[in-house]
Structures are given as structure tokens and as C-alpha cells.
Amino acid sequence: MSAEPQPRAEPFRLRGANFNLLVLRLLDARIDAVVPALGDQFKRAPGFLRFAPVVIGLGDLAVPPAEMDFVALVRELKALEIVAIGTTGGTPELRQAAIAAGLPPLRQSGGDEAAPSSAPAAPATAPVNPPPAPLAPSGLRPTMIVDQPVRAGQRVWAQGADMIVTSTVNAGAEVIADGNIHVYGALRGRAIAGGADNLGARIFAQNFDPELVSIAGFYAVREGLGKAPIGRATQVRLAGESLRFDPFGA
Amino acid sequence: MAQVVVITSGKGGVGKTTSSAAIATGLAQRGKKTVVIDFDVGLRNLDLIMGVERRVVFDIVNVIQGEAKLNQALIRDKRVENLAILPASQTRDKDALTKEGVQIIIEELSKEYDYVICDSPAGIEKGALLALYFADQAIVVTNPEVSSVRDSDRILGVLQSKSKRAEEKREPVKEHLLVTRYDPARVERGEMLKLEDIQEILAIPLLGVVPESESVLRASNTGTPVILDAESPAGLAYGDAVARFLGEERPHRFLEVEKKGLFKRLFGGRAA
């Protein structure tokens, strides 16, 4: 049996979408001042923001474009595993220099740093929302995937995102996500989902055996989990002001 | 270039020094030039277990502070060829150890030896961090007990973030699990963690299981590494572990309760 591949009616679709992106607002044009400071900050939170897209905020820079080496900036950020995808704000000259380095200006929807209308709109990049101060339950960043066991004393934080742990979260370890948490191994440590206000966040664990679970600040310690399906595939969600534990799967 | 191997655990009293002495001796028996360093400055024990405490003149702190040459501080073992011990200081504290000093010592030893075994102190403070910092491989010693497994888990996290290999983003430290003081009878009664449970939590390859054995205490009190006691199950288990460490395939033994024969049952013989 040989089936002709069905030709699709259209090869692509172009749709607008909103993304929450981090803006890296430069306060100093010297890359050798910015990058080490940034590196220091990320050293304290390894894994945090890995390959996260960021927008370079130029609004606070008052330097001629000759003093700003965008090509070097992109390269140095990449070395820190941070991907610059565009710029926002700044003088038209700075923006032009950034375009030459492959960083298109992004328009902030509803923001005051709007790029001029004459600037060519980048077709591949979507409009940018203001940086997420408190994270809306919608607009989450790409899911953080953790492939190593999270070990006692380790703490992993998926800022503004969901987290998937393909291995286990061991006792004494802590996983924190502003979105949902999925643990495909055993959850034996602490799982804190939903950040401060994401009441709809849930925790899923293939083998549910935690020290503490928390959703949007409502938490339960192990002692209070007498009725929870310990050792089974379990999902935790918020029902009113208390946590609800339901087995899932077969 | 030598392989630098740290023997570590997080928790104290699980058998790091016993294991360091046994594994270093085992490697030397198999013709590998081996040196074992005691990093437990202030609580030195390795020299006792290796039976060389009466031959200590200088120690690692003397070498770091330039008061003695490395060769003056090294003690060559009299029973096994190819084996040397660098003792810890009894009178200083851990602050006497510096990263630069340890690096110079390890680099120097690497030129002459095949294996540099670092016997780590307990804890995750400076001494333990320095013992693991330069490691290429780590043997994590764990007892079948919840707190020991937890601390081993913690030290594995430290290895993955604070070792030199981790800092330089090179290939990670190769990790091995060594379960010691394993008592199959108590495991069967549910008083001890099962081997499978430990492996499931720590999720690193198993190097060996050393059974709880009276011969270990006897060996340390007489200053003879237990691996030299070919009669004892613990000594045999360490022998297996060393063989596996060097790439040999060996089946795991001493995992099941030994069936006592009628004779032993009648006369209450105990496994030595």
C-alpha cells in the first residue's frame, strides 16, 4: 500500500501571538562591565534562564552607537547561554546599530518605549509584553526541563515557567515553578508550584512521596498528607483554600 | 597523568577511611602505583587504619606550608609495594589547607603515581570540598540508612557543582556507589534500607556492597587494611570492588542472608 503524501492546503500560517519576555535593560554600554556582573548573577542560580530569550533594553543608554558593540554583546550573552532576540527602546541610531548586528527592534505592546513606526517590523518576532513582574497565569515562558535527579540541598527554580523533572526529586531537594510542576520519577523533596498567585497551577508526580507541596502559597507538609495517595501517581491542585490530591493514570 | 579519586560520603562514620585504606591497598596489590591522602586535618585516622601511625614525621600541612618536602612526608607501605600514604596533621585545623597548596601536591603526585586517593573528611565544609575539588572520579560511601543516603545525595550535588571539573564545564566527575555495613538479615527484617532503594534514590552505578563484618573493626584496630584479610567477606567484597573499579566484571555477592549449616546452628558459629 503506497499512499501519496497528502499535499497541505497551505505551507504555513502567520499568526500573531503574545509572549512574555525578559528585558535586559543595559545601564552601562561597556560589555566588559555588563557580562561579568551578569555571569555572577547566573552562577548563583545555575540552570536558571538557560537559553532563555531576552530583549535588550536600550532606553537607559545615552551613548553614540559607535560605543556599543552589539555583535560582541550577542556573542558574550550566548556564552552565558542567554539568547538575545531583539532590542527595545533607545535612540534610532542605537537601534540601527543593533539591526546591523541582527537584533531587530521589538515593539512593546502598550509600553512607553515603543519603537518608531518607521522601523521595519520583524516578521518572525512577536510583539513583546512588559517584563513579568507578577506572573499572569497565562503568558508563561518555555517549560524548564530537568534531566538530572534533583539532589538533597539543590534548589531549582523555573521562573515564570512550568517545570518538568524527568528523574526524581530527592528528599531534601526543592523544586519551584511559577507554573506547573511535573515529576516523572519520584517526588520525595519539596515541590512549590504556582509562584505567589497562580491558583490554577498543579503538581503532578509519578510517585508521590513529598516532604512538602505548595500551590500559590497554600501548602501542606508531609504530616498533613495522611489522606493523600502516597506512593502513587498523584496530581495536586487547589480547591478553594485547601489542596486536593487525586490519583491519576491507571 | 594519575586519576584523582575522592572517597566521600557527607556523613561521618560510614566507612570512608576504611574504604580508602582498602581500595588504595587493593589498587597497589594490582600493580597500580597508588598514594592515599588523608584530608581529615585535625582528626587524622588513616595512618592508624593503615598501621603507619608510628612512622609519621611530617604531614600534608607541613608540605603545604613549605616546612617539609613531599617526599619526606610520604610514608611507603611495608606490606604492599607501590603504596604510599600522605598523613593529615593532628594538631592543625582545616584552615591550614589551601586550594593552591593541595593543587601543587596533587600535581606533583600525579607525575609519579597512577592513582591519587583522597580520603575526605565528613561534612561539606572546607576539608571535604578540597578533597573532592580535584577529583576525576568519586566513590560515594553509603550505609543502608536514611540519613546516610540523604547525605550522599547531598555530596553528589556538591560534586556536580563545586568540583573543578564542574567549574570548568568539563566532563563530570565519574561517580561510583559503594554501600558499606550492609547486613542482609537486618534488611530482610526491614531494619535497613534495601540495596535497590539506595540505588533508586542515588541513581549512580554500583561499585560494590561491603557486608557488615566483625573483621572490619578487628582490621582497623590492628592497623591492617581489611582487604588484606582474604578470609573475611568484607575483605573479599573490597577486592571485588577494586576489580570492578579497574573495569573487570564481577558478580555482586553477600547480598543474601547466609544460610547457616546445621553445624553452625548447633554450635552458634558466627561469620567472621
Side-chain angles (χ1 to χ4, degrees):
Chain A
M1 236 175 76
S2 70
E4 284 278 298
Q6 204 68 338
R8 283 186 160 244
E10 43 181 1
F12 65 85
R13 282 179 189 175
L14 205 52
R15 291 275 186 278
N18 286 301
F19 296 96
N20 260 323
L21 291 168
L22 281 183
V23 174
L24 178 67
R25 269 172 60 180
L26 294 182
L27 307 177
D28 194 324
R30 291 167 308 154
I31 289 164
D32 52 350
V34 173
V35 171
L38 207 54
D40 270 358
Q41 180 150 358
F42 288 125
K43 218 176 273 166
R44 269 178 262 135
F48 166 64
L49 269 190
R50 256 191 118 186
F51 302 111
V54 298
V55 178
I56 311 295
L58 304 175
D60 299 304
L61 283 184
V63 294
E67 284 182 29
M68 185 67 225
D69 186 351
F70 283 105
V71 176
L73 178 66
V74 169
R75 189 181 57 233
E76 295 294 324
L77 287 178
K78 196 168 253 170
L80 290 173
E81 300 179 334
I82 300 167
V83 185
I85 58 162
T87 63
T88 181
T91 59
E93 293 77 30
L94 268 179
R95 282 198 296 271
Q96 280 306 324
I99 290 169
L103 292 172
L106 304 180
R107 207 155 12 105
Q108 227 165 8
S109 56
D112 50 357
E113 288 186 310
S117 53
S118 64
T125 35
V128 176
N129 282 336
L135 246 144
S138 56
L140 295 170
R141 278 197 282 276
T143 301
M144 175 191 268
I145 298 182
V146 180
D147 282 318
Q148 293 283 317
V150 187
R151 301 191 179 276
Q154 290 180 330
R155 189 180 206 200
V156 187
W157 179 27
Q159 195 195 23
D162 283 2
M163 183 191 305
I164 292 176
V165 181
T166 58
S167 180
T168 60
V169 177
N170 280 346
E174 198 166 279
V175 287
I176 309 168
D178 290 329
N180 305 301
I181 295 175
H182 307 251
V183 181
Y184 293 140
L187 169 59
R188 300 203 178 88
R190 297 164 159 239
I192 295 157
D197 57 358
N198 186 352
L199 301 172
R202 297 188 190 187
I203 297 167
F204 303 85
Q206 203 55 250
N207 177 349
F208 185 71
D209 191 10
E211 294 175 332
L212 174 147
V213 283
S214 167
I215 290 175
F218 295 91
Y219 69 93
V221 292
R222 180 53 183 266
E223 212 172 61
L225 295 184
K227 285 181 204 146
I230 298 296
R232 298 175 57 188
T234 302
Q235 68 162 311
V236 187
R237 63 186 127 172
L238 209 50
E241 297 212 329
S242 59
L243 295 174
R244 199 177 127 183
F245 304 89
D246 297 304
F248 70 88
Chain B
M1 269 308 273
Q3 281 284 304
V4 181
V5 184
V6 62
I7 316 272
T8 185
S9 71
K11 192 170 160 63
V14 297
K16 280 183 298 296
T17 301
T18 299
S19 299
S20 299
I23 288 167
T25 306
L27 287 168
Q29 277 179 319
R30 287 167 164 267
K32 306 291 180 193
K33 288 203 75 180
T34 305
V35 56
V36 53
I37 308 177
D38 189 349
F39 274 83
D40 206 346
V41 172
L43 290 169
R44 73 169 214 236
N45 278 167
L46 182 70
D47 51 326
L48 287 172
I49 295 199
M50 300 285 293
V52 298
E53 76 277 12
R54 297 187 181 178
R55 296 167 59 203
V56 176
V57 183
F58 296 111
D59 57 55
I60 185 169
V61 173
N62 294 134
V63 177
I64 286 179
Q65 299 186 338
E67 297 154 2
K69 292 235 172 356
L70 186 54
N71 261 323
Q72 294 176 299
L74 285 175
I75 304 171
R76 321 230 170 240
D77 194 273
K78 286 182 173 165
R79 293 159 300 216
V80 186
E81 249 185 283
N82 302 321
L83 179 61
I85 299 116
L86 179 57
S89 170
Q90 188 74 285
T91 48
R92 317 289 182 95
D93 62 29
K94 290 188 171 64
D95 291 334
L97 289 180
T98 62
K99 197 178 269 183
E100 296 70 32
V102 172
Q103 176 161 15
I104 292 169
I105 288 178
I106 287 184
E107 276 173 3
E108 187 113 333
L109 292 172
S110 293
K111 288 181 204 150
E112 202 182 325
Y113 290 88
D114 300 319
Y115 287 96
V116 178
I117 309 290
C118 303
D119 179 20
S120 171
I124 49 171
E125 307 306 326
K126 192 175 180 190
L129 292 180
L130 276 176
L132 67 79
Y133 185 72
F134 296 98
D136 301 305
Q137 305 197 42
I139 297 178
V140 177
V141 183
T142 305
N143 288 167
E145 181 205 333
V146 178
S147 58
S148 172
V149 173
R150 168 88 60 102
D151 291 357
S152 293
D153 196 40
R154 180 84 171 90
I155 211 79
L156 283 166
V158 172
L159 275 165
Q160 287 160 9
S161 59
K162 300 243 172 89
S163 63
K164 190 161 188 270
R165 279 178 174 266
E167 280 183 4
E168 291 173 356
K169 295 195 173 162
R170 284 190 292 150
E171 199 184 316
V173 177
K174 191 174 175 197
E175 298 152 342
H176 308 269
L177 174 63
L178 183 67
V179 177
T180 55
R181 311 199 66 169
Y182 195 74
D183 185 338
R186 297 189 65 188
V187 172
E188 228 170 53
R189 291 199 296 271
E191 296 168 6
M192 270 189 180
L193 284 180
K194 279 205 291 273
L195 180 62
E196 302 86 81
D197 295 343
I198 302 170
Q199 282 183 276
E200 206 243 325
I201 293 171
L202 295 180
I204 59 172
L206 180 66
L207 183 66
V209 179
V210 180
E212 176 78 319
S213 163
E214 289 173 9
S215 55
V216 172
L217 187 61
R218 194 170 57 227
S220 20
N221 283 337
T222 58
T224 320
V226 69
I227 198 167
L228 293 175
D229 182 353
E231 304 282 299
S232 96
L236 295 171
Y238 276 117
D240 287 352
V242 170
R244 283 186 209 108
F245 186 79
L246 294 174
E248 273 180 46
E249 294 272 342
R250 292 266 178 111
H252 288 280
R253 24 182 189 168
F254 315 115
L255 301 181
E256 306 295 333
V257 180
E258 209 181 315
K259 297 279 176 290
K260 274 189 185 175
L262 178 67
F263 188 79
K264 273 196 169 176
R265 233 182 296 167
L266 282 177
F267 296 98
R270 304 191 67 176

